[in-house]
Amino acid sequence: MTPRLIVQDNRQQRRAEQLAAQYGFTLATVLPDDEQFYLCLDEQGLSLKQGNFPRTAVQVNFSEGAAAHRRKFGGGQGQDIAKAIGISAYKPTVVDATAGLGRDSFVLATLGCRVFAQERQPVVAALLADGLQRAAADPDIADIIARISLQYGSSHELLQPVADPAHKPDVVYLDPMFEHDDKQTAQVKKDMQAFRAVVGQDTDADDLLEKALACARCRVVVKRARKAAPLAGRAPSYALTGKANRFDVYALAKVQAL
Ligand SMILES: C[S@@+](CC[C@H](N)C(=O)[O-])C[C@H]1O[C@@H](n2cnc3c(N)ncnc32)[C@H](O)[C@@H]1O
């Protein structure tokens, strides 16, 4: 189910039409009271809202909140994700093949990586594109955002094996939606519930591992829930386990310049 896009302000009409054409949204000016999820475009940007919870909104914002806090206090190259990707003085190029709302892409770009962020879900891709566009106008982070390129489409198609190592990304990073039980769902904040309801589960994620391994030059990194089985049942070279997550590293070559 793709939520409809509501435009309450005529000045946003043109941009809304562009989004509708690019991502296949249906435009609406009024929604029935029982509409469960909808997209809203206003002067603050694009957000996903949940009908029953008017104050609940999912929006990509790299300038404030959690993203800004992590940029300033996140621990730099000491973070598990940085170690898993292999960031050092050499900043690897990364294909983030399950970009979502771009939080991990932003962390990696903050640490100096060039990131190609791939997202197939139209609502998520549109939210991310909108967040990147607004962030590019923020002088504090414009240089970070310039390192992120969004590719709208499925990484099943976008990840193509390349023979020439000079044209391979150093790292392919995967963070598919994993199964969530009821207990976990009750704890997830309302805004993330909206995200999960729209995206669902990535039941085809196992197939991505083989494609990622055929594409990367140095390593593939998979983010998993702490106790989840490895993707495709394939044991990694090693894992970095944190409080909530685990990074499974499939090493192919040392992460360094060619
Ligand atoms: C758990 S979220 C990723 C969160 C992300 N790492 C972040 O930091 O915001 C998984 C995302 O991957 C996307 N996805 C899953 N399989 C994909 C594929 N084959 N191609 C592109 N996107 C995919 C889903 O639509 C979803 O938005």
Short mmCIF file of all heavy atoms in Angstrom, two decimals, residues 96-105 118-121 124 153-156 173 175-178 195 199 202 204-205 208 223, ligand 1:
data_model
loop_
_atom_site.label_atom_id
_atom_site.label_comp_id
_atom_site.label_asym_id
_atom_site.label_seq_id
_atom_site.Cartn_x
_atom_site.Cartn_y
_atom_site.Cartn_z
N ASP A 96 25.71 1.61 0.12
CA ASP A 96 24.74 1.26 1.16
C ASP A 96 23.51 0.75 0.41
O ASP A 96 22.68 1.52 -0.07
CB ASP A 96 24.42 2.52 1.99
CG ASP A 96 23.40 2.23 3.09
OD1 ASP A 96 22.86 1.11 3.13
OD2 ASP A 96 23.15 3.13 3.91
N ALA A 97 23.44 -0.58 0.29
CA ALA A 97 22.46 -1.19 -0.62
C ALA A 97 21.06 -1.31 -0.02
O ALA A 97 20.13 -1.77 -0.69
CB ALA A 97 22.96 -2.56 -1.07
N THR A 98 20.90 -0.91 1.24
CA THR A 98 19.58 -0.86 1.89
C THR A 98 19.52 0.45 2.68
O THR A 98 19.51 0.45 3.91
CB THR A 98 19.40 -2.07 2.84
OG1 THR A 98 20.51 -2.12 3.75
CG2 THR A 98 19.32 -3.40 2.10
N ALA A 99 19.42 1.56 1.97
CA ALA A 99 19.70 2.87 2.58
C ALA A 99 18.67 3.29 3.63
O ALA A 99 19.01 4.00 4.58
CB ALA A 99 19.79 3.93 1.49
N GLY A 100 17.41 2.92 3.47
CA GLY A 100 16.39 3.33 4.44
C GLY A 100 16.33 4.84 4.56
O GLY A 100 16.35 5.57 3.57
N LEU A 101 16.30 5.33 5.80
CA LEU A 101 16.21 6.78 6.03
C LEU A 101 17.61 7.42 6.06
O LEU A 101 17.75 8.58 6.47
CB LEU A 101 15.45 7.05 7.33
CG LEU A 101 14.00 6.55 7.30
CD1 LEU A 101 13.35 6.72 8.67
CD2 LEU A 101 13.18 7.26 6.23
N GLY A 102 18.62 6.67 5.66
CA GLY A 102 19.94 7.24 5.42
C GLY A 102 20.78 7.51 6.66
O GLY A 102 21.81 8.17 6.57
N ARG A 103 20.36 6.97 7.81
CA ARG A 103 21.12 7.28 9.04
C ARG A 103 22.53 6.73 8.95
O ARG A 103 23.51 7.41 9.25
CB ARG A 103 20.40 6.73 10.28
CG ARG A 103 19.13 7.52 10.59
CD ARG A 103 18.21 6.74 11.47
NE ARG A 103 17.77 5.53 10.77
CZ ARG A 103 16.72 4.80 11.11
NH1 ARG A 103 15.99 5.17 12.13
NH2 ARG A 103 16.39 3.73 10.42
N ASP A 104 22.66 5.46 8.52
CA ASP A 104 24.01 4.88 8.43
C ASP A 104 24.81 5.54 7.30
O ASP A 104 26.01 5.79 7.46
CB ASP A 104 23.91 3.36 8.22
CG ASP A 104 23.38 2.65 9.46
OD1 ASP A 104 23.59 3.15 10.58
OD2 ASP A 104 22.72 1.60 9.31
N SER A 105 24.16 5.83 6.19
CA SER A 105 24.86 6.54 5.10
C SER A 105 25.44 7.85 5.61
O SER A 105 26.58 8.21 5.30
CB SER A 105 23.89 6.86 3.95
OG SER A 105 23.59 5.72 3.19
N GLN A 118 21.35 3.17 -1.92
CA GLN A 118 20.32 2.58 -2.78
C GLN A 118 19.07 2.27 -1.96
O GLN A 118 19.16 1.65 -0.90
CB GLN A 118 20.86 1.28 -3.41
CG GLN A 118 22.13 1.53 -4.22
CD GLN A 118 22.75 0.25 -4.78
OE1 GLN A 118 22.47 -0.86 -4.31
NE2 GLN A 118 23.61 0.40 -5.76
N GLU A 119 17.92 2.71 -2.45
CA GLU A 119 16.66 2.46 -1.74
C GLU A 119 15.57 2.17 -2.77
O GLU A 119 15.40 2.91 -3.73
CB GLU A 119 16.29 3.67 -0.87
CG GLU A 119 14.95 3.55 -0.18
CD GLU A 119 14.78 2.28 0.67
OE1 GLU A 119 15.61 2.01 1.52
OE2 GLU A 119 13.77 1.57 0.45
N ARG A 120 14.80 1.09 -2.53
CA ARG A 120 13.80 0.69 -3.52
C ARG A 120 12.38 1.09 -3.14
O ARG A 120 11.49 1.11 -3.98
CB ARG A 120 13.84 -0.83 -3.70
CG ARG A 120 13.38 -1.61 -2.48
CD ARG A 120 13.38 -3.09 -2.74
NE ARG A 120 13.18 -3.86 -1.52
CZ ARG A 120 13.27 -5.17 -1.45
NH1 ARG A 120 13.57 -5.85 -2.53
NH2 ARG A 120 13.08 -5.79 -0.32
N GLN A 121 12.13 1.33 -1.85
CA GLN A 121 10.76 1.60 -1.42
C GLN A 121 10.44 3.06 -1.74
O GLN A 121 11.15 3.97 -1.25
CB GLN A 121 10.66 1.31 0.09
CG GLN A 121 9.35 0.76 0.57
CD GLN A 121 8.23 1.77 0.46
OE1 GLN A 121 8.46 2.96 0.55
NE2 GLN A 121 7.01 1.29 0.29
N VAL A 124 10.12 5.65 1.20
CA VAL A 124 11.39 5.83 1.91
C VAL A 124 12.38 6.61 1.03
O VAL A 124 13.05 7.53 1.49
CB VAL A 124 11.99 4.47 2.33
CG1 VAL A 124 13.26 4.66 3.12
CG2 VAL A 124 10.97 3.67 3.14
N GLY A 153 15.99 2.56 -6.56
CA GLY A 153 15.82 1.29 -7.27
C GLY A 153 16.24 0.15 -6.38
O GLY A 153 16.69 0.36 -5.24
N SER A 154 16.07 -1.05 -6.88
CA SER A 154 16.41 -2.22 -6.08
C SER A 154 17.88 -2.58 -6.25
O SER A 154 18.38 -2.68 -7.38
CB SER A 154 15.56 -3.42 -6.49
OG SER A 154 16.06 -4.57 -5.83
N SER A 155 18.55 -2.82 -5.14
CA SER A 155 19.96 -3.21 -5.23
C SER A 155 20.09 -4.61 -5.84
O SER A 155 21.18 -4.98 -6.27
CB SER A 155 20.64 -3.13 -3.87
OG SER A 155 19.85 -3.68 -2.87
N HIS A 156 19.00 -5.35 -5.91
CA HIS A 156 19.07 -6.62 -6.65
C HIS A 156 19.47 -6.35 -8.10
O HIS A 156 20.16 -7.14 -8.72
CB HIS A 156 17.72 -7.34 -6.63
CG HIS A 156 17.41 -7.96 -5.31
ND1 HIS A 156 18.05 -9.07 -4.82
CD2 HIS A 156 16.52 -7.62 -4.35
CE1 HIS A 156 17.58 -9.39 -3.63
NE2 HIS A 156 16.65 -8.51 -3.32
N TYR A 173 27.46 -2.42 2.01
CA TYR A 173 26.87 -2.47 3.36
C TYR A 173 25.39 -2.84 3.24
O TYR A 173 24.66 -2.26 2.42
CB TYR A 173 27.02 -1.08 3.99
CG TYR A 173 26.39 -0.95 5.36
CD1 TYR A 173 26.91 -1.59 6.47
CD2 TYR A 173 25.25 -0.15 5.54
CE1 TYR A 173 26.33 -1.46 7.73
CE2 TYR A 173 24.66 -0.02 6.79
CZ TYR A 173 25.21 -0.67 7.88
OH TYR A 173 24.63 -0.54 9.10
N ASP A 175 21.76 -3.61 5.47
CA ASP A 175 21.03 -3.52 6.75
C ASP A 175 19.54 -3.75 6.45
O ASP A 175 18.73 -2.83 6.53
CB ASP A 175 21.26 -2.14 7.39
CG ASP A 175 20.40 -1.92 8.63
OD1 ASP A 175 19.94 -2.91 9.24
OD2 ASP A 175 20.19 -0.74 9.00
N PRO A 176 19.19 -4.99 6.06
CA PRO A 176 17.78 -5.24 5.73
C PRO A 176 16.90 -5.23 6.98
O PRO A 176 17.39 -5.46 8.09
CB PRO A 176 17.81 -6.64 5.09
CG PRO A 176 19.04 -7.28 5.62
CD PRO A 176 20.03 -6.19 5.93
N MET A 177 15.62 -4.95 6.80
CA MET A 177 14.66 -5.02 7.91
C MET A 177 14.64 -6.45 8.40
O MET A 177 14.45 -7.37 7.59
CB MET A 177 13.26 -4.67 7.44
CG MET A 177 13.06 -3.27 6.99
SD MET A 177 13.02 -2.11 8.36
CE MET A 177 11.29 -1.89 8.52
N PHE A 178 14.84 -6.64 9.67
CA PHE A 178 14.76 -8.01 10.17
C PHE A 178 13.44 -8.23 10.88
O PHE A 178 12.75 -7.28 11.23
CB PHE A 178 15.95 -8.39 11.04
CG PHE A 178 16.47 -7.30 11.92
CD1 PHE A 178 15.81 -6.93 13.07
CD2 PHE A 178 17.65 -6.65 11.60
CE1 PHE A 178 16.30 -5.94 13.88
CE2 PHE A 178 18.16 -5.65 12.41
CZ PHE A 178 17.48 -5.29 13.55
N PHE A 195 6.99 3.64 9.85
CA PHE A 195 8.00 3.25 8.86
C PHE A 195 7.93 1.75 8.58
O PHE A 195 7.87 1.31 7.44
CB PHE A 195 9.38 3.63 9.41
CG PHE A 195 10.54 3.23 8.54
CD1 PHE A 195 10.86 3.97 7.41
CD2 PHE A 195 11.31 2.13 8.84
CE1 PHE A 195 11.92 3.60 6.60
CE2 PHE A 195 12.37 1.75 8.04
CZ PHE A 195 12.68 2.49 6.92
N VAL A 199 7.11 -0.17 5.07
CA VAL A 199 8.19 -0.91 4.40
C VAL A 199 7.98 -2.43 4.49
O VAL A 199 8.30 -3.16 3.55
CB VAL A 199 9.57 -0.54 5.01
CG1 VAL A 199 10.69 -1.37 4.40
CG2 VAL A 199 9.86 0.94 4.80
N ASP A 202 12.03 -7.28 4.69
CA ASP A 202 12.82 -7.55 3.48
C ASP A 202 13.05 -9.05 3.39
O ASP A 202 14.13 -9.55 3.69
CB ASP A 202 14.14 -6.77 3.53
CG ASP A 202 13.89 -5.27 3.54
OD1 ASP A 202 12.94 -4.83 2.86
OD2 ASP A 202 14.64 -4.55 4.20
N ASP A 204 13.45 -10.93 0.96
CA ASP A 204 14.36 -11.39 -0.10
C ASP A 204 15.82 -11.00 0.18
O ASP A 204 16.66 -11.03 -0.70
CB ASP A 204 13.92 -10.82 -1.45
CG ASP A 204 13.81 -9.29 -1.43
OD1 ASP A 204 14.02 -8.70 -0.35
OD2 ASP A 204 13.53 -8.71 -2.48
N ALA A 205 16.10 -10.62 1.44
CA ALA A 205 17.44 -10.07 1.75
C ALA A 205 18.55 -11.10 1.60
O ALA A 205 19.68 -10.74 1.26
CB ALA A 205 17.43 -9.49 3.16
N LEU A 208 20.72 -10.95 -1.40
CA LEU A 208 21.59 -9.78 -1.59
C LEU A 208 23.05 -10.08 -1.24
O LEU A 208 23.96 -9.46 -1.78
CB LEU A 208 21.12 -8.62 -0.71
CG LEU A 208 20.01 -7.72 -1.26
CD1 LEU A 208 19.72 -6.61 -0.27
CD2 LEU A 208 20.39 -7.14 -2.62
N LYS A 223 24.57 -5.59 8.84
CA LYS A 223 24.09 -5.25 10.18
C LYS A 223 22.94 -6.19 10.54
O LYS A 223 22.01 -6.35 9.76
CB LYS A 223 23.62 -3.81 10.20
CG LYS A 223 23.19 -3.26 11.54
CD LYS A 223 22.94 -1.78 11.35
CE LYS A 223 22.32 -1.08 12.50
NZ LYS A 223 22.07 0.32 12.16
C1 LIG B 1 16.38 -1.40 8.17
S1 LIG B 1 16.13 -0.30 6.85
C2 LIG B 1 17.73 0.42 6.67
C3 LIG B 1 18.03 1.49 7.67
C4 LIG B 1 19.26 2.27 7.32
N1 LIG B 1 20.47 1.50 7.48
C5 LIG B 1 19.34 3.56 8.08
O1 LIG B 1 20.40 3.79 8.69
O2 LIG B 1 18.39 4.36 8.05
C6 LIG B 1 16.11 -1.32 5.42
C7 LIG B 1 15.81 -0.55 4.15
O3 LIG B 1 16.35 -1.28 3.05
C8 LIG B 1 15.48 -1.19 1.97
N2 LIG B 1 15.76 -2.32 1.08
C9 LIG B 1 15.65 -3.63 1.37
N3 LIG B 1 16.01 -4.40 0.34
C10 LIG B 1 16.37 -3.55 -0.65
C11 LIG B 1 16.85 -3.72 -1.97
N4 LIG B 1 17.00 -4.93 -2.50
N5 LIG B 1 17.15 -2.64 -2.71
C12 LIG B 1 17.02 -1.40 -2.18
N6 LIG B 1 16.55 -1.15 -0.93
C13 LIG B 1 16.23 -2.21 -0.17
C14 LIG B 1 14.10 -1.22 2.60
O4 LIG B 1 13.12 -0.67 1.74
C15 LIG B 1 14.32 -0.38 3.86
O5 LIG B 1 14.05 0.97 3.63
#
